[in-house]
Amino acid sequence: QVQLVESGGGLVQPGGSLRLSCAASGRIFSIYEMGWYRQAPGKQRELVASWFSGGRTNYVDSVKGRFTISRDNAKNMGYLQMNSLKPEDTAVYYCNVAQIESGDSRDYWGQGTQVTVSS
């Protein structure tokens, strides 16, 4: 089992920045994929940013140029740097990681952290 704890959310004004962190603990072997998702009230959870072993990253169009996903495997930490925040970025943000266990891919979720962008 892998436990994930997100932190860094909060209330920020439009145009501001936040840095979300995702701390992993437990039986960690080799995380090969990490994603940050978000879910706004009344909406489906959406994938915002992905990180893949080797360093490749992907972003949903709405956050390209504003968000940066990164990972420090030595520290078992993942990050989402969010700049130029907009009210539409308001949501609960979740961290998800995937690793191979006994030949199968398993993924894990954190409990989420609230991000509110409002003046």
Side-chain angles (χ1 to χ4, degrees):
Q1 289 283 351
V2 175
Q3 293 78 44
L4 300 176
V5 177
E6 301 99 333
S7 62
L11 173 64
V12 64
Q13 291 187 343
S17 297
L18 284 174
R19 188 195 196 201
L20 305 183
S21 298
C22 175
S25 61
R27 298 188 66 197
I28 300 168
F29 301 111
S30 181
I31 292 172
Y32 68 87
E33 183 174 343
M34 178 182 73
W36 282 96
Y37 292 72
R38 67 186 178 187
Q39 188 166 19
K43 294 188 177 182
Q44 289 190 335
R45 189 173 296 189
E46 70 167 341
L47 177 61
V48 174
S50 300
W51 171 94
F52 303 92
S53 60
R56 184 168 62 90
T57 58
N58 281 336
Y59 301 91
V60 69
D61 285 346
S62 60
V63 308
K64 283 181 180 177
R66 299 189 298 123
F67 290 11
T68 302
I69 188 173
S70 61
R71 179 156 188 84
D72 185 338
N73 276 334
K75 297 181 179 179
N76 290 322
M77 292 292 297
Y79 306 97
L80 184 67
Q81 177 67 43
M82 305 186 296
N83 299 329
S84 302
L85 282 161
K86 304 175 180 180
E88 52 264 42
D89 295 318
T90 295
V92 178
Y93 284 71
Y94 299 89
C95 176
N96 174 275
V97 299
Q99 68 175 11
I100 301 296
E101 297 178 6
S102 302
D104 292 325
S105 178
R106 288 203 60 182
D107 70 305
Y108 299 90
W109 292 90
Q111 83 291 346
T113 185
Q114 176 71 47
V115 171
T116 303
V117 185
S118 175
S119 55

